[in-house]
Amino acid sequence: MKDRYLDFVNSSFGAGFARSIGLPKPEVLRRHRPDRPEFGGIVAIGAGPSPALFDPLIDVLQSIGMTSVAHGSAEGWLPRANRHGAMSGRFEPHRRDSVASDRVEALIFDATGIADSSELGAIYGFFHDALRSVARSGRVVVLGRPPETRADPRAWTAQRALEGMTRSLGKEARGGVSSNLLQVAEGADIEGALRFFLSPRSAYVSGQVIRIEAASVTRPADWSRPLEGRRALVTGAARGIGASIAGVLAALGAHVTGVDVPQASDALDQTMLAIEDQSPSGGAHAALVADIAAPEAPAELAAALLAMGGIDIVVHNAGITRDKTIAKMTKDAWDSVIDINLSAQERIDDALLAQNVLHDGGRIVGVSSISGIAGNLGQTNYATSKAGVIGRVSSMAGVLRARGMTINAVAPGFIETQMTAKIPFAIREAGRRMNSMSQGGQPVDVAETVAWLASPASAGISGQVVRVCGQSLIGA
Amino acid sequence: MKDRYLDFVNSSFGAGFARSIGLPKPEVLRRHRPDRPEFGGIVAIGAGPSPALFDPLIDVLQSIGMTSVAHGSAEGWLPRANRHGAMSGRFEPHRRDSVASDRVEALIFDATGIADSSELGAIYGFFHDALRSVARSGRVVVLGRPPETRADPRAWTAQRALEGMTRSLGKEARGGVSSNLLQVAEGADIEGALRFFLSPRSAYVSGQVIRIEAASVTRPADWSRPLEGRRALVTGAARGIGASIAGVLAALGAHVTGVDVPQASDALDQTMLAIEDQSPSGGAHAALVADIAAPEAPAELAAALLAMGGIDIVVHNAGITRDKTIAKMTKDAWDSVIDINLSAQERIDDALLAQNVLHDGGRIVGVSSISGIAGNLGQTNYATSKAGVIGRVSSMAGVLRARGMTINAVAPGFIETQMTAKIPFAIREAGRRMNSMSQGGQPVDVAETVAWLASPASAGISGQVVRVCGQSLIGA
């Protein structure tokens, strides 16, 4: 689905026209392209008192090849970077009259040591000086601690306050700049999350608060193919977001088994063949036709996957909508949406776990929705099912921890698909513009987020719901 | 501040005009009036399998004088009600052609026994049949369990799914009908919360999920004066929301000490005098002029309150805004907002707790904001401070539990005050209409919610944030 408005205001004629009459001009977001380097340019570093993450930060920036400049608040950064043999310098704010391009690609603030509300001035100081200096499609990342891990209520409070800052920055920054808060537990590995949030892969993820726990992390041998050799199951893979998830997982090295219903078997075959064609090393991809809601589906899926040697990743993407206000909704519309979007996931996971089809260290990712968070008119069935997916994530995270497995959900906002193309114009335009990016997301934005959660490097991330919504206004 | 549009479309000419051109017609919400009975009419009851709360529900309905009718899903309700000597009958859906007024004032669904997503059909069945039968300014209350108290992940998931249902119902119901979910722990007392959510006092509270824990609850001798004899401190009491909080607490029986800054001392005197005049039994109210952000304020407040015999209720309402995008925000604008809205609360509570000024069983209520939840453009300082208020509530709840104290926050959405009257027209109208009530709230709506949290009957409610926003679309 094309966003004609976005195309228009970014055309040479349209840009001038929009400017002359004061129309908003959504940024064309920078997304991952295999022919372009994923990282590059300069990161500006700020910090509150006693920052704990300078060393791992310097390591990650070195490993992705970004250069740092230190804001005045980041005391001690320069000597530390020098000790690691990393290039670094002092932050100079972007000046409007400067000829040279002096913008930075990202702003990172280490707030881990902030232990009292009176210390929050440091984060003001950094973003006051630096927010205007960030480039288009740039990144803001705030690093804090999970608030409840601070014994002192004042430290807990100050850490929780960072959410208001990070979300406000996401709403103030323009030009496709995202802003996210990573709550890093002591001893947690930040590389996987930092790579995701600094890269173009997280283009449409903003205003999110992500918790990273200490866990035994296997860093991929090749960060460009973190899923190398992993086997993945993707339901609803024939089209739209599911097809994109299958494609991204395969591009990152996974062997993907795509599942869809009999009616979609031709589309599924085409999708999986296209993925096969694009797999350089010839991944072992497969198309599996099954109605996931059928009573026999869990056992059949388990048997088929076991015959392939089991799997490492399950993505529950299959879902349907049957919208009506509740007074007009049929019993069948309720039952089928709950069953396909929620109960089927439960039955399938139970079968995969009981028979050890999902390997230890496995990853489960469910697809929830903004409607599951905020509720929606005409979607009592859909919103209930998608709130249930969130419940699944929180209820299963503890159960799965002992086996080194994680379970998380993505909650897409307005994504440009065949489904959203059918929404009436005015409502579609409102959905597209009511977010910090002033545009809908692409299926690939959801797929990239799923792939990040499915990575071996994401072992410390479980029980979470990551919105892929361009920081939609809508929430609860 | 008047909402002229709401007045217009509810005038005799305006109503016809609005109907003829298809304008939305916000409902004039029914609010508490001392000259009208708080409760009355009929409640329709629905239930899932194994409902746990029929007995306490019957007791509460008897005590507030509402009659029940049982939907087919509420098996066993009728004989149980009869055993309690309560009037009850069978639910008959409202028919458009009926002459008699057959609407019900409230719909209550007992979902406590729902233990699997496949059992969610019961809640669909009830609201499918009954949602259209609810009267204007009616109530939807869903009773569930705190999801994480269910050992079985499937039960946890199903309980979490109820959030999507309750929030969607709030968006579908028109005519000022609210919809809220109470998560009732085993052994928790539901009377205080049910009374609040069934009464006109909760007019602007919708789409909320409230957790009620088992706690030793002192039920008020007189439910119309639950705060009888309690001493309350209200900061920022001179005007607006603070004045309304002081007034409602006093009307419910509390002796109120209103605090405000020297510049507002005349307004504070007038507010407290007006409250004095309206207190039938002559409550011992006082005006105290103090700058809560001054370093000596905590000690001075503590001393003054101790001289009065200590207090039972603290309402941290004082707050300021100094909006600017962060690049243009001065250091002083940041510091003063954080200090007054957040750090001052911390210093004052520490002093009151250290010197036992706040009695055991005390109540602390902070005023947060939707901006603290979702962040806001031009409000990095304000949103950070209000997110910090949420952090305060979660960090202190456990600490205070041993002393029988609770701490909670209210998060107002768009409230009609002098502050919001200054917002430019288009933004003000968007803020007013982008919620399930299609209108802004009144200061009294926030005040009633504060008073409910401050009640002795709310002992089981702590660590929570209750939005008073008419189920604003805006969230995170």
Side-chain angles (χ1 to χ4, degrees):
Chain A
M1 178 62 198
K2 287 192 67 75
D3 181 342
R4 294 207 176 89
Y5 177 77
L6 180 135
D7 291 346
F8 173 71
V9 296
N10 284 288
S11 68
S12 55
F13 171 72
F17 180 78
R19 198 166 43 239
S20 72
I21 67 166
L23 290 177
K25 183 170 173 296
E27 180 74 12
V28 177
L29 301 181
R30 191 171 68 220
R31 292 191 169 86
H32 173 71
R33 287 177 51 169
D35 58 341
R36 294 222 188 130
E38 191 152 352
F39 302 104
I42 293 170
V43 180
I45 307 289
S50 313
L53 297 174
F54 276 6
D55 286 326
L57 253 178
I58 292 167
D59 287 344
V60 173
L61 295 178
Q62 275 190 302
S63 105
I64 64 180
M66 291 184 86
T67 307
S68 66
V69 291
H71 178 259
S73 61
E75 247 181 274
W77 175 271
L78 282 177
R80 194 89 68 112
N82 287 340
R83 257 202 314 279
H84 287 250
M87 293 245 302
S88 193
R90 289 188 189 285
F91 169 76
E92 297 285 344
H94 163 73
R95 290 180 322 189
R96 292 188 179 210
D97 59 350
S98 80
V99 185
S101 162
D102 54 359
R103 304 241 180 211
V104 298
E105 293 300 320
L107 304 176
I108 300 180
F109 186 87
D110 185 341
T112 50
I114 290 183
D116 192 278
S117 58
S118 62
E119 294 171 358
L120 289 163
I123 194 169
Y124 155 80
F126 177 61
F127 288 106
H128 170 73
D129 295 346
L131 190 63
R132 278 184 176 164
S133 299
V134 70
R136 288 167 186 280
S137 288
R139 297 286 181 263
V140 168
V141 178
V142 177
L143 301 166
R145 293 293 194 196
E148 77 285 2
T149 63
R150 306 296 89 185
D152 175 14
R154 289 207 179 188
W156 177 333
T157 296
Q159 288 295 323
R160 181 63 179 74
L162 297 172
E163 278 194 32
M165 182 66 174
T166 309
R167 292 199 158 117
S168 297
L169 290 171
K171 292 185 174 184
E172 286 194 15
R174 302 287 169 92
V177 174
S178 70
S179 175
N180 294 285
L181 170 61
L182 306 184
Q183 297 179 329
V184 184
E186 320 255 351
D189 186 321
I190 59 175
E191 180 157 8
L194 258 188
R195 281 177 170 266
F196 178 68
F197 282 102
L198 291 177
S199 88
R201 297 184 188 270
S202 62
Y204 202 61
V205 182
S206 189
Q208 299 308 293
V209 178
I210 310 291
R211 181 156 312 211
I212 313 176
E213 295 162 48
S216 155
V217 170
T218 314
R219 297 200 189 172
D222 174 359
W223 278 101
S224 71
R225 290 178 67 79
L227 305 181
E228 191 69 61
R230 306 253 154 176
R231 296 178 182 280
L233 173 74
V234 180
T235 68
R239 296 191 190 91
I241 291 174
S244 189
I245 293 170
V248 169
L249 296 182
L252 294 173
H255 307 299
V256 179
T257 298
V259 178
D260 219 311
V261 289
Q263 306 91 289
S265 71
D266 286 353
L268 179 65
D269 283 341
Q270 282 167 29
T271 296
M272 298 313 297
L273 278 175
I275 289 171
E276 195 85 51
D277 285 348
Q278 283 157 24
S279 300
S281 53
H285 306 304
L288 199 62
V289 173
D291 174 3
I292 56 160
E296 63 279 10
E300 288 181 4
L301 272 176
L305 296 167
L306 215 45
M308 296 179 190
I311 52 171
D312 306 284
I313 297 164
V314 182
V315 183
H316 292 292
N317 164 73
I320 60 168
T321 56
R322 287 186 66 184
D323 298 356
K324 282 271 186 237
T325 57
I326 193 157
K328 293 185 179 166
M329 185 181 288
T330 63
K331 180 82 167 68
D332 183 62
W334 174 274
D335 286 340
S336 56
V337 167
I338 299 288
D339 193 54
I340 292 170
N341 295 7
L342 177 56
S343 311
Q345 291 189 18
E346 298 181 301
R347 293 192 298 263
I348 290 169
D349 283 349
D350 283 357
L352 299 185
L353 291 168
Q355 298 175 53
N356 292 314
V357 180
L358 185 64
H359 298 149
D360 283 4
R363 302 277 180 267
I364 303 176
V365 184
V367 177
S368 179
S369 162
I370 297 295
S371 289
I373 292 169
N376 199 10
L377 197 160
Q379 294 199 312
T380 48
N381 50 358
Y382 186 75
T384 302
S385 73
K386 295 301 190 179
V389 169
I390 295 173
R392 227 175 126 52
V393 156
S394 27
S395 65
M396 292 296 292
V399 177
L400 299 176
R401 190 159 291 135
R403 296 167 70 175
M405 298 174 179
T406 69
I407 180 167
N408 295 284
V410 292
F414 187 96
I415 303 294
E416 305 280 357
T417 61
Q418 287 182 349
M419 199 162 95
T420 52
K422 289 179 194 148
I423 297 173
F425 175 77
I427 298 176
R428 190 173 69 226
E429 272 303 296
R432 272 179 175 157
R433 305 301 162 213
M434 278 169 57
N435 60 68
S436 296
M437 304 294 166
S438 301
Q439 61 194 285
Q442 297 293 331
V444 71
D445 297 324
V446 181
E448 295 281 11
T449 309
V450 169
W452 162 57
L453 293 168
S455 158
S458 298
I461 300 170
S462 194
Q464 313 213 16
V465 181
V466 183
R467 291 170 53 141
V468 184
C469 65
Q471 193 177 30
S472 165
L473 272 187
I474 296 172
Chain B
M1 177 64 197
K2 289 194 63 78
D3 181 344
R4 293 207 176 90
Y5 177 78
L6 180 134
D7 292 345
F8 173 71
V9 296
N10 284 288
S11 68
S12 56
F13 169 73
F17 180 78
R19 199 166 41 239
S20 71
I21 67 165
L23 291 175
K25 183 170 172 296
E27 181 73 12
V28 177
L29 301 181
R30 192 170 68 218
R31 292 190 168 86
H32 173 71
R33 288 177 49 169
D35 58 341
R36 294 222 187 130
E38 191 151 352
F39 302 104
I42 293 170
V43 180
I45 307 287
S50 313
L53 296 174
F54 276 5
D55 285 326
L57 253 178
I58 292 166
D59 287 344
V60 173
L61 294 179
Q62 276 191 301
S63 104
I64 64 180
M66 290 185 87
T67 308
S68 66
V69 290
H71 178 259
S73 60
E75 246 181 275
W77 175 270
L78 282 178
R80 193 88 70 112
N82 287 338
R83 261 203 311 279
H84 286 251
M87 293 245 300
S88 191
R90 288 188 191 286
F91 169 74
E92 297 286 344
H94 162 73
R95 291 181 322 191
R96 291 188 179 208
D97 59 350
S98 80
V99 184
S101 161
D102 55 359
R103 303 237 180 215
V104 298
E105 293 299 319
L107 305 175
I108 301 180
F109 187 87
D110 185 340
T112 50
I114 291 183
D116 192 278
S117 58
S118 60
E119 295 171 356
L120 289 163
I123 194 169
Y124 155 80
F126 177 62
F127 288 106
H128 171 72
D129 295 346
L131 190 63
R132 278 183 177 167
S133 299
V134 72
R136 287 165 185 283
S137 288
R139 296 286 180 264
V140 169
V141 178
V142 177
L143 301 165
R145 293 293 194 196
E148 76 285 1
T149 64
R150 307 295 88 185
D152 176 13
R154 289 209 179 184
W156 176 334
T157 296
Q159 287 294 324
R160 182 63 179 75
L162 297 172
E163 278 194 32
M165 182 67 175
T166 310
R167 294 199 158 117
S168 297
L169 290 172
K171 293 185 175 184
E172 287 195 14
R174 303 287 168 91
V177 174
S178 69
S179 176
N180 294 284
L181 170 61
L182 305 184
Q183 297 179 328
V184 184
E186 319 255 351
D189 187 321
I190 60 174
E191 180 157 8
L194 258 188
R195 280 178 170 266
F196 178 69
F197 282 104
L198 291 176
S199 88
R201 296 185 189 271
S202 61
Y204 202 62
V205 182
S206 189
Q208 299 308 292
V209 178
I210 309 291
R211 181 157 312 211
I212 312 176
E213 294 162 47
S216 155
V217 170
T218 313
R219 296 200 189 172
D222 174 359
W223 278 101
S224 71
R225 290 177 67 79
L227 304 180
E228 192 68 62
R230 306 253 155 176
R231 295 177 183 281
L233 173 75
V234 179
T235 67
R239 297 192 190 89
I241 291 174
S244 190
I245 293 170
V248 170
L249 295 182
L252 295 173
H255 308 299
V256 178
T257 299
V259 178
D260 219 311
V261 289
Q263 307 90 288
S265 73
D266 286 352
L268 179 65
D269 284 340
Q270 283 167 28
T271 296
M272 298 313 296
L273 278 175
I275 290 171
E276 195 85 51
D277 285 347
Q278 284 157 23
S279 299
S281 53
H285 306 304
L288 199 62
V289 173
D291 174 2
I292 55 160
E296 64 279 9
E300 288 181 4
L301 272 176
L305 296 167
L306 216 44
M308 296 178 191
I311 52 170
D312 306 285
I313 297 163
V314 183
V315 183
H316 292 292
N317 164 75
I320 61 168
T321 56
R322 286 185 67 183
D323 299 354
K324 281 270 187 244
T325 56
I326 194 158
K328 292 184 179 167
M329 185 181 287
T330 62
K331 180 82 167 69
D332 183 61
W334 174 274
D335 286 341
S336 56
V337 167
I338 298 289
D339 194 54
I340 293 171
N341 296 6
L342 177 57
S343 311
Q345 291 190 18
E346 299 181 300
R347 294 191 296 263
I348 290 170
D349 283 349
D350 282 357
L352 299 185
L353 292 168
Q355 299 175 53
N356 292 313
V357 180
L358 184 65
H359 299 148
D360 283 4
R363 302 277 180 268
I364 302 175
V365 184
V367 178
S368 178
S369 163
I370 297 294
S371 290
I373 293 168
N376 200 10
L377 196 160
Q379 293 199 314
T380 46
N381 50 358
Y382 186 75
T384 302
S385 73
K386 295 300 190 179
V389 170
I390 296 173
R392 228 176 124 53
V393 156
S394 27
S395 65
M396 291 297 290
V399 177
L400 298 176
R401 190 158 291 135
R403 296 167 72 174
M405 297 173 180
T406 69
I407 181 167
N408 294 284
V410 292
F414 187 95
I415 304 294
E416 305 281 358
T417 61
Q418 288 183 347
M419 200 163 94
T420 52
K422 289 178 194 148
I423 297 173
F425 175 78
I427 298 176
R428 191 173 68 225
E429 272 303 297
R432 272 179 174 158
R433 306 299 164 215
M434 279 169 58
N435 60 69
S436 295
M437 304 294 167
S438 300
Q439 60 194 286
Q442 297 293 334
V444 71
D445 297 324
V446 181
E448 295 281 11
T449 309
V450 169
W452 161 57
L453 293 168
S455 158
S458 299
I461 300 171
S462 193
Q464 313 214 13
V465 181
V466 183
R467 291 170 54 142
V468 184
C469 66
Q471 194 178 28
S472 165
L473 272 187
I474 297 171

